[in-house]
Amino acid sequence: MNENELMKLDMVKSLALLLMDDQPQLTMEQALATVINSDTYQRLQSDATGLYHQSARYVYSFLYCELKTGRVG
């Protein structure tokens, strides 16, 4: 596993934890499933976007917008 893949995995974990902070009723499994099934996750996995180099809170703003509006902000 290369460094970029590790950064992506760490970002997914961070996004799930931020989601759980916003929605305390979610379990870790539910939060991870929400992140992994999102368009934000698809963008995060793309090396072209470079999202995995950004802060977790910045990327979370995209996920939050997506969950609230149905579209990635």
Side-chain angles (χ1 to χ4, degrees), residues 1-2 6-7 9 13 18 25 28-29 34 36-38 42-44 47 52 54 58-60 62-64 66 69 73:
M1 187 172 294
N2 65 33
L6 289 173
M7 290 173 71
L9 288 173
K13 178 187 80 170
L18 288 169
Q25 76 279 7
M28 178 57 89
E29 292 80 14
T34 300
I36 290 171
N37 291 311
S38 70
Q42 295 304 314
R43 292 173 188 227
L44 175 63
D47 288 334
Y52 55 91
Q54 303 300 320
Y58 176 74
V59 179
Y60 184 72
F62 290 99
L63 179 64
Y64 181 85
E66 178 183 351
T69 66

Side-chain angles (χ1 to χ4, degrees), residues 1-71:
M1 187 172 294
N2 65 33
E3 185 176 345
N4 290 350
E5 295 300 318
L6 289 173
M7 290 173 71
K8 291 174 187 179
L9 288 173
D10 188 55
M11 181 66 74
V12 169
K13 178 187 80 170
S14 296
L15 293 174
L17 290 171
L18 288 169
L19 186 58
M20 289 173 63
D21 283 345
D22 277 352
Q23 300 180 31
Q25 76 279 7
L26 291 178
T27 65
M28 178 57 89
E29 292 80 14
Q30 291 169 322
L32 284 169
T34 300
V35 172
I36 290 171
N37 291 311
S38 70
D39 288 335
T40 302
Y41 175 82
Q42 295 304 314
R43 292 173 188 227
L44 175 63
Q45 294 305 305
S46 171
D47 288 334
T49 66
L51 275 180
Y52 55 91
H53 286 290
Q54 303 300 320
S55 75
R57 290 212 179 269
Y58 176 74
V59 179
Y60 184 72
S61 70
F62 290 99
L63 179 64
Y64 181 85
C65 183
E66 178 183 351
L67 294 175
K68 295 296 179 194
T69 66
R71 297 179 297 135

